[in-house]
Amino acid sequence: MSSGTLVSGMGPGELVLVILACGIGALLIGAVGIGGVVILPALLVVGVQPAVGIYSIYIAFMPAACAKLLVLGRIRGLIPWRAALSCGSTAAIGAAIGGVLVESSPRRALTYLVGVFAALAGARDAWELYSRKMKQRGERRAEDGRRIEEPGDSPTNEIASRPRGDDAKRSADGAAGVEEAVVKLEISAPPPPRSCATFRERVAAAYMSADSIPEDLRWNVTEREMAILAAMGLFIGCASVLTGTGGPLILIPVLLTWKGDERISRKVIVGCSSVLAACLVTAAVISMSATGVRPDVGLTLLIAPCAIVGMATGARILQFASREFLQAAMTTLLLAVAALTISKAATD
């Protein structure tokens, strides 16, 4: 590290705090889309100025955000591209505006707003989890009651269901004949034809994963929803830069509140927020550099490896995580973020 960076003035405890916060935040961003709120408070604790900290985080997370899109894009249906680009394109404009206003913004009021959104979404998710658990418990009790009432299998029924000797012999002979015919067919079958796929099709087949989101859990966005997402993206892009919390922290609670009653996979919502994050980071870096804000090189180099490893690991977790795990993780994190952001705004 260069001797003129902020990192050179940090003690061992401060370095450990920053590394842990960046690693945990990146892991959460990769898995559930929310986690940037963990990183900026750690930088403020060790004495980093907000504008420098925000800019350094964005620079460090830019390669990781693009790498996450490559990982999630392999799964068909996980990223709703029309919805994500509708929101992400205007979020880039909002981030550019926020980058210009980052030094003179009503940060306290915006932080309160972020906390309220997170609290509403977390409370709604917690109620949904509670209702689902109660429903599952009632269904298990009803199933146990039906099992007690149903009579068991009697020995006479078991004896009557056994095949007779001649019938069993004929069934065995027929099965052997079918198996022999299948073997002969497999031996005499011609070799499969050579693939005539184009280079583009071969690349797509090698890149795309065999996993996919079921059709009924995807987000088939309408024209009206695209217009709403475009308006939301403008506000989210500006507010995320001004508060330093990241776009997904605002977008995910809004989407959960708006689309939570519909049958849309949580993974799809995280995929949409990943596209917004990549657009937002790129635009924010360009706009903040135009205003004269400069990142700390040592801090950026310290955060970048944590961001790449953490987000790659989190993206892999997202691919295999169940719906219940994602919802429980999001609920816990949203309520924690709400408490943190509201208390931070109250003490500023």
Side-chain angles (χ1 to χ4, degrees), residues 275-290:
V275 176
L276 174 129
C279 296
L280 188 150
V281 165
T282 305
V285 167
I286 295 172
S287 65
M288 292 180 77
S289 62

Side-chain angles (χ1 to χ4, degrees), residues 41-304:
L43 297 184
L44 297 180
V45 166
V46 299
V48 178
Q49 292 297 317
V52 176
I54 292 171
Y55 196 12
S56 300
I57 291 171
Y58 283 156
I59 292 272
F61 271 82
M62 187 185 296
C66 297
K68 182 183 177 182
L69 287 184
L70 291 176
V71 174
L72 299 184
R74 298 179 65 242
I75 303 176
R76 291 177 177 84
L78 195 150
I79 298 179
W81 287 105
R82 294 179 65 204
L85 292 176
S86 299
C87 190
S89 57
T90 54
I93 300 173
I97 297 172
V100 175
L101 302 176
V102 71
E103 294 292 349
S104 58
S105 63
R107 185 168 297 165
R108 185 176 182 182
L110 289 171
T111 305
Y112 265 124
L113 191 60
V114 171
V116 169
F117 271 124
L120 290 175
R124 184 196 170 284
D125 260 12
W127 174 254
E128 184 179 337
L129 281 172
Y130 174 78
S131 301
R132 188 185 304 147
K133 290 292 183 183
M134 292 298 101
K135 183 179 178 180
Q136 290 174 352
R137 185 177 299 176
E139 290 175 351
R140 282 196 300 269
R141 288 177 179 174
E143 182 66 23
D144 293 341
R146 284 194 297 270
R147 288 177 181 173
I148 294 174
E149 294 175 359
E150 289 177 357
D153 294 335
S154 63
T156 56
N157 291 337
E158 185 178 353
I159 295 173
S161 63
R162 291 177 182 173
R164 296 180 179 178
D166 295 339
D167 294 340
K169 184 177 180 181
R170 282 196 296 270
S171 299
D173 293 341
V178 170
E179 184 176 350
E180 184 179 356
V182 170
V183 172
K184 289 180 179 179
L185 180 62
E186 289 178 352
I187 294 173
S188 61
R194 296 183 63 183
S195 175
C196 299
T198 63
F199 175 75
R200 180 180 177 183
E201 291 172 344
R202 289 197 298 270
V203 171
Y207 170 69
M208 297 302 293
S209 170
D211 300 327
S212 65
I213 300 296
E215 289 287 345
D216 59 331
L217 297 180
R218 299 183 186 184
W219 187 1
N220 299 312
V221 65
T222 63
E223 298 293 335
R224 178 175 174 272
E225 290 174 338
M226 289 175 64
I228 295 174
L229 286 168
M232 285 170 45
L234 191 65
F235 167 76
I236 290 171
C238 184
S240 63
V241 174
L242 295 179
T243 58
T245 53
L249 176 61
I250 306 174
L251 177 66
I252 289 178
V254 172
L255 289 183
L256 290 177
T257 305
W258 176 29
K259 309 295 289 184
D261 294 331
E262 301 182 19
R263 189 174 169 81
I264 297 176
S265 172
R266 296 300 172 102
K267 297 180 181 181
V268 173
I269 292 178
V270 175
C272 182
S273 70
S274 301
V275 176
L276 174 129
C279 296
L280 188 150
V281 165
T282 305
V285 167
I286 295 172
S287 65
M288 292 180 77
S289 62
T291 60
V293 180
R294 293 291 176 264
D296 185 81
V297 177
L299 190 60
T300 303
L301 294 176
L302 179 66
I303 297 173

Side-chain angles (χ1 to χ4, degrees), residues 10-24:
M10 295 182 186
E14 293 175 332
L15 284 173
V16 171
L17 174 64
V18 172
I19 292 172
L20 283 177
C22 293
I24 294 172

Side-chain angles (χ1 to χ4, degrees), residues 320-347:
F320 302 106
S322 63
R323 180 176 184 269
E324 289 74 16
F325 170 79
L326 286 178
Q327 188 168 8
M330 282 186 180
T331 301
T332 305
L333 192 57
L334 284 170
L335 294 176
V337 164
L340 177 64
T341 51
I342 291 175
S343 63
K344 179 176 178 295
T347 55

